[in-house]
């Protein structure tokens, strides 16, 4: 199972004959010749047009052939994302000679359709919508600027994407919440309220202990997208606070831009801050550390003691929980809460689809993404 191609196009950018190349906004592999790109986009347009004779614009989602499986997604009007996977096969022998036996059932439509949709949500979180990027810059026209943003993001994203590791966890798009008693949870909530009231630029916070969410001030879908980002190689653990990056989250149906600062300073706690405009992220970061570090040390110690005394444990990303009965005959289940995207259970969902360079769970120095 491997990625054959991944491309984004908009037919409106090349409506006339001879302008087909203008439709292609991004194509992977990048070294493919232009004829291949135009041919693939043209075939996708034909399939979409054919499917539209039976249903609406986004009716086509998957196309299976013996050797490949193609996924379609229209995240914004006119913009289509296409992901093509090679169907896994094994070499076999019979009287007439060797042949390939393809295993199309190894590709689960729901899983990889979710991966394709999540690739758009990650782009939107850090760059805004495709339409938002369709504007001229100092050196580029509107379309060239959009193409540059797409190439900058997706070349890095695809480089670390491992299709074989995608599983049902990608379908859920869920996160793990850490269960705390009322006193500990109220203590964390009071801590969040305190820093938001003390530091005016801080508008939202995400508080994690190891890989598990204790508190989040953003909507569940954006929380999952950010949660996945933290576990991908795109999140550089060594980035300094003054290089904090912009993020876009959804509030009341509209995209709102913030600056993301990630504090990885105290024991097992990760504190993610969404900031309004501020003169200096670096000075805010150092001022914030001086105030919160003693409290985070105490909170981390108390959470650890609570988990130890209650027999709970924290789990890695993608692990739904643990069962006291680990025997093969023990019942297995996954619980998924659609309202807050929480999952729990006795089934380990499998590794993340990225080849990560580090996880949230360990202790370490400060940094931001």
């Amino acid at each position: 199972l491997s990625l054959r191609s991944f491309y984004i196009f908009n037919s409106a950018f090349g409506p006339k004959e001879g302008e087909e190349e203008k439709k292609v906004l991004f194509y992977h592999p990048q070294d493919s010749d232009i004829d291949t790109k135009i041919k693939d986009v043209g075939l996708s347009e034909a399939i979409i047009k054919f499917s539209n004779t039976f249903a609406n614009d986004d009716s086509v989602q998957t196309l299976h052939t013996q050797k490949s499986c193609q996924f379609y997604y229209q995240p914004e009007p006119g913009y289509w994302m296409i992901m093509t996977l090679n169907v896994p096969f094994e070499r076999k022998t019979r009287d007439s000679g060797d042949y390939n036996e393809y295993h199309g059932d190894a590709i689960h439509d729901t899983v990889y359709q979710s991966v394709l949709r999540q690739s758009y949500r990650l782009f939107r979180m850090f760059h805004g919508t495709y339409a938002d990027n369709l504007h001229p810059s100092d050196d580029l026209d509107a379309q060239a600027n959009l193409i540059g943003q797409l190439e900058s993001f997706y070349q890095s994203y695809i480089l670390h994407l491992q299709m074989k590791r995608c599983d049902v966890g990608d379908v859920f798009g869920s996160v793990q919440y850490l269960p705390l008693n009322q006193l500990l949870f109220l203590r964390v909530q009071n801590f969040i309220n305190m820093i938001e009231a003390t530091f005016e630029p801080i508008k939202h916070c995400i508080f994690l202990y190891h890989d598990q969410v204790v508190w989040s001030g953003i909507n569940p879908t954006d929380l999952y997208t950010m949660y996945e980002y933290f576990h991908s190689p795109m999140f550089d653990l060594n980035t300094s606070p003054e290089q904090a990056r912009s993020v876009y989250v959804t509030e009341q149906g509209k995209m709102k831009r913030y600056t993301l600062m990630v504090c990885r300073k105290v024991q097992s706690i990760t504190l993610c801050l969404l900031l309004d405009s501020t003169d200096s992220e670096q000075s805010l970061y150092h001022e914030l550390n001086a105030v919160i570090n003693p409290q985070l040390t105490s909170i981390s110690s108390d959470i650890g003691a609570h988990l130890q005394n209650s027999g709970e444990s924290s789990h890695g990303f993608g692990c739904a929980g643990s069962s006291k009965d680990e025997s093969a005959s023990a019942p297995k289940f996954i619980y998924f809460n659609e309202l807050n995207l929480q999952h729990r259970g006795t089934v380990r969902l499998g590794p993340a689809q990225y080849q990560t360079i580090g996880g949230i769970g360990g202790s370490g120095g400060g940094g931001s993404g």
Side-chain angles (χ1 to χ4, degrees), residues 189-209:
Q189 188 177 30
N190 288 337
F191 168 78
I192 297 297
N193 292 338
M194 181 273 294
I195 61 174
E196 289 182 353
T198 305
F199 300 92
E200 186 177 354
I202 300 176
K203 300 304 177 184
H204 300 292
C205 298
I206 304 171
F207 187 107
L208 302 104
Y209 184 85

Side-chain angles (χ1 to χ4, degrees), residues 201-204 244 257-261 273-278 281 284:
I202 300 176
K203 300 304 177 184
H204 300 292
R257 180 176 177 176
Y258 292 104
T259 298
L260 173 66
M261 178 184 292
L273 309 174
L274 298 185
L275 315 174
D276 253 347
S277 58
T278 179
E281 286 90 2
L284 174 63

